[in-house]
Amino acid sequence: MSLVLGGKWKGRVSAATAERVRAAAAELGYRPNLAARNLRLGRTRTVLLVVPALTTEFFAGVYTGAARVAARHGFGVVLYPSPEGIGPARDPFASAQAALDGVIASSMAADAVSALRGDHGRGGGGGGDQLPLVMLDSDPEGPGTATVNLDIADGVRQVAEHLLGLGHRDFLHLAADVPSWTFEVRARELAARLAEVPGTRLRTVRSPISIKGAEAAVRGALEGAERPTAVVCDDDQLAAGTYKAARRVGLRIPEDLSVTGIDDLAVATAIDPELTTVRLDAELFGERGMRALLAVLEGEEPEQGDIPVRLIVRGSTAPVRA
Amino acid sequence: MSLVLGGKWKGRVSAATAERVRAAAAELGYRPNLAARNLRLGRTRTVLLVVPALTTEFFAGVYTGAARVAARHGFGVVLYPSPEGIGPARDPFASAQAALDGVIASSMAADAVSALRGDHGRGGGGGGDQLPLVMLDSDPEGPGTATVNLDIADGVRQVAEHLLGLGHRDFLHLAADVPSWTFEVRARELAARLAEVPGTRLRTVRSPISIKGAEAAVRGALEGAERPTAVVCDDDQLAAGTYKAARRVGLRIPEDLSVTGIDDLAVATAIDPELTTVRLDAELFGERGMRALLAVLEGEEPEQGDIPVRLIVRGSTAPVRA
DNA sequence: AGACGGAAGTTATACGTAAAACCTGGTGAG
DNA sequence: CTCACCAGGTTTTACGTATAACTTCCGTCT
């Protein structure tokens, strides 16, 4: 009976009976039992997406993209926002309570991976075999079956060029205080680019990723004569916090202070002036991650190459004042 | 062997063998197969959370709350952001690809429910039996096994009192152009409260829920002498759009125009001045929803009563100018 | 005419778990 | 001394599906 719905009854069942079966199924409202099917097939067509948080639309975009291509391939995506944020996820599998074919981990710390690899997949009583794991926003040299990255280094370079072109030489890097590879890249790349230009100065302030946190963290650096002329933020939320701090200390943006972000979240255009920021295509990111995982599951080679990013120049950056 | 891990080997297995089994399990890295367990138990300890979108932290909060309670009871939560937004969800089950014990639908249109009820649960080949369904932000008279609501009517009342107390009489309601019960309540309640006060005026403008959309929708109403002194927005994002429109037409907030929102998202404090808004406790909302579903599954009566909300007065509202 | 082949339909089996049903050996009571 | 009982352990079964294996039936070719 299951043949009919499977669609592959080419030479097995007559067209007449096939129709009869389908009618009966519709009549009784028959739905196949997923648990039984998963058990029989030994695969669940379900993957787990581990993200550090859902407080920003970025990961919502990643999910959306991943879920879209998953759906096209008959896969479902289960979300696991790690309660520990970027740190090691305690036990996503037990929590997700789902039988899995693979895992995508977005922007998680490398050592979080150990906890991620398990045997909740198709594998029977036996042990040992590991789930395919795709890492997003992560060190390509690190663990994981495959890695997909945004070309964040290029994004930081675009920011640096833009600000240098406007005459800025005194920079503050408002860095996300989070142990993630992607933020290490941002710090390294910014420092490297500025080091190439004589007469530049770069200070760094760390902050948790939140508007309030950023406001508190950056305020001190904006007071006094030693203040920078440009603040490069790791993230739009940090930039929003910088706006608030600037307003507190009486600095106008962009006349007195240029500010840049990364992500291009909704908040980037909600604040005034609109934020110059690096647009990250979260959905494409999720799509690429899911495609990579599907490739691994098919035994194919995942697509190579970082995803390009683009600087969106808005009103928060201006030439440095004489 | 499964007895040991189940924890109920009180008088069945000696402590020695129990230990031996546990050691062997650890040795081999044994993990029970979820699919087989689900099949055997006839329940999956997995519920589906259907939300219209993830573009706002509100639903992230709902998810977080629901997942937290779920985890405490050994349940997992699978998320299904309906691609159609608030409208009827096409086939969440096929997409979620998970065997389910129940469904929570947040802020979905009532007629979306029909598609939500299915037979993908424990049920065997048979048909007919419906999954328990908890509706959030929905008409208590509508379908669904149980309903959990925020006391949004009270929130709107608090907004109205606050603005009336500041002397405002000329109102604009910036309404979410979305067919959801919760927004109908907001419109109805605001109109009802203002109707009680002689000399008040209420206009309504509809907008999709986005900053850009709101800016475009509200701009016309802010120009000319007939403009309102207070804009009551269904949502913080609409309020953020109102800020931008006001800036365009040269109105200062709150001196020339008072603005209120609902939700208390991060954007509410990112914009300047900070937004007076109604704080909704999304996490508590999710918790209550999950608890209601668990109660239904246990055959108990779900907790009654709406969740209280609270007006947070910030800088976007001021006495009307003489 | 007999046998072979292929299409249509039917039965059997395995997936891994949980739990019931079923053994076994030893001890205490009658 | 024998038997019932019980703790401790082993075998069996069922969950619902997908598919392999097997049976049946008929038409056709030699």
Side-chain angles (χ1 to χ4, degrees), chain A residues 237-268:
Chain A
Q237 295 180 81
L238 297 175
T242 302
Y243 272 50
K244 293 177 76 72
R247 186 144 3 227
R248 281 287 181 89
V249 302
L251 293 176
R252 289 164 305 161
I253 298 172
E255 293 84 357
D256 305 322
L257 190 70
S258 287
V259 179
T260 67
I262 293 182
D263 271 1
D264 198 23
L265 305 174
V267 72

Side-chain angles (χ1 to χ4, degrees), chain B residues 23 25 41 53 78 86 128 142 161-162 182 222 250 253 295:
Chain B
L41 272 313
V78 177
I86 293 223
E161 295 310 326
H162 173 63
T182 183
L222 295 184
I253 298 171

Side-chain angles (χ1 to χ4, degrees), chain A residues 2 12 30 32-33 37 40-41:
Chain A
S2 55
R12 307 279 300 113
Y30 168 85
N33 178 312
R37 169 176 292 172
R40 177 68 239 261
L41 273 313

Side-chain angles (χ1 to χ4, degrees), chain A residues 297-316:
Chain A
L297 289 174
E298 299 288 329
E300 299 165 10
E301 199 60 31
E303 189 178 351
Q304 290 295 318
D306 290 349
I307 300 172
V309 302
R310 188 168 107 247
L311 179 71
I312 310 286
V313 178
R314 298 205 182 93
S316 69

Side-chain angles (χ1 to χ4, degrees), chain B residues 100-104 117-118 130-134 144-146 293 296-297:
Chain B
L100 306 172
D101 283 351
V103 180
I104 301 177
R117 315 210 72 170
Q130 306 225 301
L131 250 43
L133 169 67
V134 171
T145 318
L293 182 54
V296 169
L297 290 173

Side-chain angles (χ1 to χ4, degrees), chain B residues 2 30 33 37 40:
Chain B
S2 56
Y30 168 85
N33 179 313
R37 171 176 290 174
R40 177 69 240 259

